[in-house]
Amino acid sequence: MDALLPHHFLSVLIFFPIVACLPLFGLSEKHAKPYGVLVTALELALVVGLWVLFDKDTGVLQFEEFADLVKQAGINYHVGVDGISLILLVLTAFILFLLALYVSKHIKDMLICILLLEGILMGVFTSLNLIFFYVFWEVSLLPVLYMIGRYGVGPKVYSGLKFFLYTFLASLFMLLAILYYAHACSLALDTPFNFDLETFNSVMLPPKVRLWVFIAFFVGIAVKIPIFPFHNWLPYAYGNAPVVGSAVLSALLLKMGTYAMVRFLLPLFPNVILHYFLPLSVLALLMVLYGGLLASAQKEMKRLIAYSSMSHMGVALLGLYALNVEGVGGAVFTMFSHGLVSAGLFILVGVLLDRCNSSKIVAFKGVAHSMPAYAAFFMVLLLANVGMPLTSGFVGEFLSLLGFFKSSPFIAFLAGTTIILSAIYMLVLYKKVFYGAEPQGFYTLKKAKALSPLSCAEKSVLALLVAAVLFLGIYPKPLLAPIEQSVQVLLESLQGRINA
């Protein structure tokens, strides 16, 4: 099998979209979209090829590549993929292909940002050297900052800078933790500096410093997710970003935080997570409840979906803290499912925003009369967001709560209220926007012209998202199989460190 595998498959995935975005600077708006869609489609085809070649019967790292960059400093180009990172590569390629197909305003600039983000995120989800990971982690902020600051609404520059400064400054704590851990490894192994994850996994920090290093890692990750109370940037960035920016933030950049927790925090600090299980679980529970309550109080659709994302990712965090196959596997599946659902919901809001220049709930009434197909797409993704059985949202959250129930039935029960809260605020939103009698008089004619039927591109994007949500809700095995294999390997290594 190894002889058949391309030696630089992951490098192609990382650098192809970054290089391919360069010709966009010289293309016109007219030719930019076909080119951008073609590049993202080719990247998606490459990821599908990776999926086909990937051995799903084992949870170990595959397609590894290694090259010295700054050997004296221990900075190496080291990438690899397991079942956990594989599905995030699929999610990234699929979502960014759909966003390239969907984008209709400021096409050239948006596609440049999309292609840059695609390569950067491929690097984030495959890096096994922590300095290399950190570089991709930080650089990912720049395209999103540009999208918000240049093409956002309201106080867009303030919103973009707030997002950037919060996440950048918090990530400096993570950099300090990485540097200290590498120093500790150098002393323990009597070797030069080495930032490879494998080296970090071979050394356990002394108990007196382990907590502080964990906190530094945790702060950098918590702001990115965001975990309560590190969420202050969220309503500004999500609410004032263009639709493509909001979709990228919720569907992909948020997953960088939960991925870093799976890849680094769990394997490096299982003892800290077990020792501080209750306070960590309470923070995740507050995400669930507080995010749901804030979503219920919103009068603007983008902010409602943003707080809903925060609430649902709290359930994924609880699954990670369970440290069992059901919980961690369910959390990883939730990351994929939530990426599909949140991207779809933001695109649906973008459809109304493009037509009526507003995403306020009170600005709409009786939309189902004018846009029945749109109403049907919205209902399916709404039910997936709620966690309705036979949708992908149910599978991940059920497994996460099932895994966590083994550790704390009471907190799992409280976290289950996210389903009730989601049903309340999402169905109330649907009732206000889609039902009710249409207004009479001149406003009716004006509104009817504005609420034109979905375009072919919009229907294609939404149909693909809905099909993926329903398929994975009915038959989740294609994703769960590689996830569970890799989670099993992860948990075996955790057990070794816990018992050490």
Side-chain angles (χ1 to χ4, degrees), residues 35 43 45 128 180 195 231 235 242 269 274 280 301-302 327 330-331 343 381 387 391 403 426 437 446 451 455 462 471:
Y35 177 81
E43 182 78 354
L128 299 174
Y180 182 87
F195 292 95
H231 67 284
F269 305 99
L274 287 174
L280 289 171
M301 284 184 270
K302 285 171 70 180
L381 291 173
T391 66
M426 292 303 293
K446 183 179 178 183
L451 294 177
S455 67
L462 292 170
F471 174 78

Side-chain angles (χ1 to χ4, degrees), residues 111-239:
L111 287 172
I112 290 171
C113 291
I114 286 172
L115 292 182
L116 284 174
L117 270 172
E118 186 155 33
I120 292 165
L121 289 169
M122 294 290 170
V124 167
F125 295 135
T126 57
S127 293
L128 299 174
N129 182 281
L130 274 80
I131 289 294
F132 209 67
F133 169 84
Y134 178 79
V135 170
F136 280 125
W137 174 279
E138 291 290 48
V139 173
S140 68
L141 301 176
L142 298 178
V144 180
L145 172 64
Y146 179 79
M147 282 193 280
I148 298 173
R150 180 74 188 275
Y151 298 116
V153 296
K156 55 187 180 181
V157 175
Y158 172 80
S159 301
L161 287 176
K162 187 162 191 171
F163 157 73
F164 178 81
L165 290 175
Y166 262 69
T167 48
F168 177 76
L169 293 176
S171 298
L172 292 179
F173 287 96
M174 185 169 70
L175 177 61
L176 290 174
I178 292 170
L179 293 173
Y180 182 87
Y181 212 121
H183 172 69
C185 290
S186 178
L187 293 178
L189 302 174
D190 194 23
T191 58
F193 263 50
N194 192 327
F195 292 95
D196 260 22
L197 180 59
E198 184 179 354
T199 303
F200 280 34
N201 278 328
S202 66
V203 174
M204 286 192 66
L205 295 176
K208 60 182 180 181
V209 298
R210 190 183 302 156
L211 175 62
W212 295 106
V213 178
F214 171 83
I215 290 173
F217 262 110
F218 184 79
V219 168
I221 293 170
V223 172
K224 183 76 77 174
I225 290 178
I227 295 174
F228 176 89
F230 302 98
H231 67 284
N232 188 254
W233 61 268
L234 179 141
Y236 298 92
Y238 280 77

Side-chain angles (χ1 to χ4, degrees), residues 454-473:
L454 293 171
S455 67
C456 182
E458 289 167 342
K459 283 183 179 179
S460 301
V461 169
L462 292 170
L464 287 170
L465 284 168
V466 166
V469 165
L470 293 176
F471 174 78
L472 292 174

